[in-house]
Amino acid sequence: MTRLLPLEQRLHSHTDEDALLHRLRRLPRRVQQVFLLSRLEQLPFAAIAERLDLSVHAVERHMHQALQGTQARSDSFASAAGHWYMRLQNPQVSASERIDFRRWLDAADEHLQAFHQTELHWRRLLAPARQLGQDGWYRQGQAALSLGGCSIAVGLGLAALLAMAYWV
């Protein structure tokens, strides 16, 4: 294994953060919003669900989508670990589900390694999340539409008006 010098480590870390930020930006806007409310505001799933008029299950799904969508590789172990990581964040997780998780974790060394990698990945997402949410757009509740989506709607509206004017 090659050993990186401190400057090389910082450059490598910066490149990793840029890649994670790029992956976060590629996620659907609502997924980004749920993720940022959880990660930056540290809101529990129930509070996010109430704020955005979603079910707690939908919040959990969005969080899992954010986690999976930002990972460089996705295999069955990583996917299962991501599912368990988000499920355990949900206050509605039952005691029997916690037992099932423990059984899954103990079933194979690969499960433990995948879960550990998921935890490390989650920590690495904080800096890119801060960049993505720096202007606070995600706090706007229901109004989390992308500018691109608004531009398309405005463009279609103008096209419809022009078409109506043409036919009149």
Side-chain angles (χ1 to χ4, degrees):
M1 174 182 265
T2 60
R3 187 176 167 121
L4 297 176
L5 298 173
L7 177 60
E8 290 172 318
Q9 287 175 332
R10 285 192 302 252
L11 291 174
H12 184 67
S13 174
H14 185 65
T15 304
D16 288 346
E17 285 180 15
D18 288 344
L20 289 173
L21 179 60
H22 177 72
R23 288 185 197 120
L24 282 171
R25 285 186 172 142
R26 293 184 67 202
L27 294 170
R29 194 75 162 171
R30 178 61 81 184
V31 172
Q32 291 177 25
Q33 185 180 29
V34 168
F35 169 74
L36 293 173
L37 286 169
S38 171
R39 196 70 180 108
L40 299 181
E41 303 295 318
Q42 298 179 344
L43 293 178
F45 286 10
I48 296 169
E50 183 178 327
R51 184 179 208 167
L52 301 179
D53 195 27
L54 298 170
S55 69
V56 174
H57 181 69
V59 170
E60 181 181 330
R61 263 194 347 254
H62 288 325
M63 291 296 293
H64 185 248
Q65 186 177 353
L67 187 63
Q68 293 301 115
T70 57
Q71 290 182 321
R73 66 172 185 87
S74 185
D75 57 35
S76 61
F77 295 131
S79 181
H83 166 76
W84 279 117
Y85 192 80
M86 285 306 135
R87 185 67 189 139
L88 294 171
Q89 307 300 316
N90 190 333
Q92 295 177 346
V93 68
S94 67
S96 67
E97 287 175 303
R98 289 182 188 280
I99 291 169
D100 289 343
F101 164 69
R102 193 65 219 188
R103 286 182 182 145
W104 175 82
L105 198 61
D106 292 340
D109 288 339
E110 293 86 2
H111 295 178
L112 180 60
Q113 290 170 356
F115 194 79
H116 179 68
Q117 289 301 315
T118 299
E119 289 177 312
L120 293 175
H121 179 70
W122 184 250
R123 288 187 207 137
R124 283 192 300 265
L125 288 174
L126 184 56
R130 286 182 178 141
Q131 283 184 278
L132 181 63
Q134 67 186 349
D135 62 359
W137 66 266
Y138 62 92
R139 293 184 187 114
Q140 297 173 1
Q142 293 288 343
L145 297 174
S146 69
L147 185 57
C150 291
S151 299
I152 291 170
V154 169
L156 289 174
L158 287 174
L161 285 174
L162 289 173
M164 286 175 35
Y166 176 76
W167 291 105
V168 174

